[in-house]
Amino acid sequence: MISVAVNGYGTIGKRVADAILKQPDMRLIGVAKTSPNYEAFIAHRKGIKIYVPQQSIKKFEESGIPVAGTIEDLVKASDIVVDTTPNGVGAQYKPIYQQFQRNAIFQGGEKAEVADISFSALCNYDEALGKKYIRVVSCNTTALLRTICTINKVTKVEKVRATIVRRAADQKEVKKGPINSLVPDPATVPSHHAKDVNSVIKNLDIVTMAVIAPTTLMHMHFINITLKDKVEKKDVLSVLENSPRIVLISSKYDAEATAELVEVARDLKRERNDIPEVMVFDDSVYVKDNEVMLMYAVHQESIVVPENVDAIRASTRLMSAEDSIRITNESLGILK
Ligand code: NAD
């Protein structure tokens, strides 16, 4: 049993904490929160122990939320910390993880240098085995890497050009926009996503462009891949069909808009309407000689959750990639 702490209980942290509770080989020690807001109240109601900064103990107790200890106590009580604090805050916590000699999993909002390796379960699990500090790449990069590493199984991927239509905010974020505009992210090429993919696949020729759209539900990617050799469409569809964490959506279901995909998650009674799989529109897969084009949707709030669970197993050398991906998928109800 590996003892896990989650530092930062927001969009990603609450999902990772719930995922840890479902793993047969992991125990959730508790979560760290800085303010006694609704997320802290709900964690407490679920029976999750809450650790806070020393100076916040009084504030939490006055709000009726019992405190199990300080964030340092949480780190000390765990074998590994999943740091899901906001962008850049994880790097500030690294000295504490180092002081107590604890392994840590960081998120894509941190610079790649914060960790020994940037991680995508389908691409480089084996390279991450035993690494003390692992960074799970961002939601968009996770989707790009899953797709690229899967298509690479047909024949070598030589070049990738991708356009990312990115959601403006998560559903709970009331102060973010835009609400009436498409905003290049940024209006220069490449966007940072290409560099992030290169943090995992070092020498890949990849250029990305991104635009922010006024939606909260999902991102959508339009991707153009050049392969070393000519391929058949059926072979591309077959690897996508057989890959874990990628789902091919048939046009016969009439679910092409992100709102419809989220409705499917609601109808399936998925927790929080989450969709951790990359949702590829099967009719979008276009193959000409050595060129492959496709479109897929990415649920930003949940796609990195299974990756965090696998990163814990890789860091602590608990098991092989295949076994970890299978157990994570089964425990989280991921379609395959
Ligand atoms: P969030 O703002 O929803 O959650 C962050 C949590 O950390 C909040 O509960 C906040 O109260 C807490 N926090 C703030 N300062 C803290 C501190 N000093 N110590 C402990 N806790 C603190 O953020 P998020 O969206 O969950 O993002 C977390 C990380 O995950 C970021 O690196 C982000 O880039 C990455 N990420 C986010 C998404 C997404 O769509 N939201 C997707 C993939 C990766």
Side-chain angles (χ1 to χ4, degrees):
M1 264 301 178
I2 191 98
S3 298
V4 184
V6 174
N7 184 14
Y9 190 74
T11 299
I12 303 299
K14 64 177 114 169
R15 288 172 168 81
V16 170
D18 284 350
I20 303 300
L21 288 169
K22 291 184 180 140
Q23 302 311 306
D25 50 352
M26 296 180 196
R27 175 176 44 223
L28 180 71
I29 298 299
V31 302
K33 272 296 293 172
T34 44
S35 55
N37 69 354
Y38 65 94
E39 289 170 321
F41 271 105
I42 292 167
H44 166 54
R45 278 187 52 171
K46 286 167 105 169
I48 295 174
K49 286 193 178 150
I50 299 173
Y51 294 75
V52 309
Q54 181 73 45
Q55 66 275 17
S56 306
I57 294 178
K58 198 161 165 265
K59 196 167 58 174
F60 272 78
E61 286 178 347
E62 282 169 0
S63 306
I65 302 177
V67 170
T70 62
I71 297 184
E72 285 79 2
D73 293 334
L74 175 63
V75 174
K76 271 192 277 182
S78 315
D79 301 315
I80 186 163
V81 182
V82 182
D83 185 298
T84 47
T85 58
N87 297 352
V89 177
Q92 295 169 23
Y93 273 105
K94 190 175 174 186
I96 297 177
Y97 309 146
Q98 286 172 315
Q99 182 190 342
F100 297 111
Q101 297 181 3
R102 293 297 185 266
N103 293 19
I105 309 300
F106 295 96
Q107 307 306 309
E110 302 301 320
K111 294 203 169 95
E113 298 73 48
V114 78
D116 303 325
I117 188 165
S118 289
F119 179 80
S120 160
L122 296 191
C123 295
N124 67 343
Y125 183 101
D126 289 349
E127 281 174 56
L129 281 170
K131 291 281 192 294
K132 207 161 180 61
Y133 302 113
I134 296 179
R135 169 180 168 267
V136 171
V137 292
S138 76
C139 44
N140 280 306
T141 311
T142 296
L144 285 165
L145 283 165
R146 252 187 222 170
T147 309
I148 294 165
C149 287
T150 297
I151 291 180
N152 194 56
K153 288 183 176 166
V154 185
T155 179
K156 190 174 183 310
V157 169
E158 294 213 312
K159 190 167 92 176
V160 177
R161 302 291 179 254
T163 301
I164 294 164
V165 179
R166 174 163 107 56
R167 63 89 181 91
D170 291 338
Q171 289 189 51
K172 71 172 186 185
E173 291 177 314
V174 293
K175 292 183 182 157
K176 271 187 159 180
I179 59 167
N180 68 343
S181 187
L182 293 169
V183 184
D185 181 34
T188 54
V189 179
S191 67
H192 75 274
H193 307 93
K195 188 175 164 210
D196 210 22
V197 167
N198 283 141
S199 72
V200 174
I201 314 176
K202 306 283 180 241
N203 298 318
L204 179 68
D205 174 359
I206 175 166
V207 180
T208 53
M209 296 187 284
V211 60
I212 308 175
T215 176
T216 58
L217 299 177
M218 298 178 87
H219 309 298
M220 208 179 274
H221 291 186
F222 302 80
I223 178 167
N224 182 343
I225 298 177
T226 306
L227 299 166
K228 184 164 176 287
D229 305 306
K230 274 189 182 183
V231 289
E232 299 283 333
K233 180 171 169 174
K234 67 173 175 34
D235 296 327
V236 174
L237 287 172
S238 166
V239 282
L240 292 169
E241 181 78 59
N242 292 311
S243 168
R245 300 182 188 162
I246 293 181
V247 169
L248 277 176
I249 319 158
S250 165
S251 54
K252 74 179 177 205
Y253 295 124
D254 232 355
E256 289 173 353
T258 52
E260 291 165 337
L261 296 178
V262 171
E263 190 67 7
V264 171
R266 294 167 69 172
D267 288 347
L268 289 171
K269 295 197 188 328
R270 284 270 180 105
E271 243 176 74
R272 296 190 177 94
N273 308 330
D274 283 350
I275 310 173
E277 303 91 347
V278 172
M279 304 299 275
V280 178
F281 303 108
D282 69 351
D283 277 353
S284 78
V285 177
Y286 172 87
V287 177
K288 185 164 187 278
D289 301 330
N290 62 340
E291 227 191 324
V292 177
M293 294 169 83
L294 59 131
M295 299 177 199
Y296 54 81
V298 182
H299 187 241
Q300 74 281 355
E301 295 171 305
S302 61
I303 186 168
V304 297
V305 174
E307 308 291 311
N308 272 278
V309 176
D310 293 334
I312 293 169
R313 294 207 184 90
S315 179
T316 52
R317 288 186 176 277
L318 278 182
M319 61 185 74
S320 69
E322 203 186 354
D323 286 345
S324 180
I325 289 169
R326 181 178 45 77
I327 292 171
T328 306
N329 286 3
E330 282 171 9
S331 61
L332 301 185
I334 291 176
L335 287 177
K336 66 179 172 64

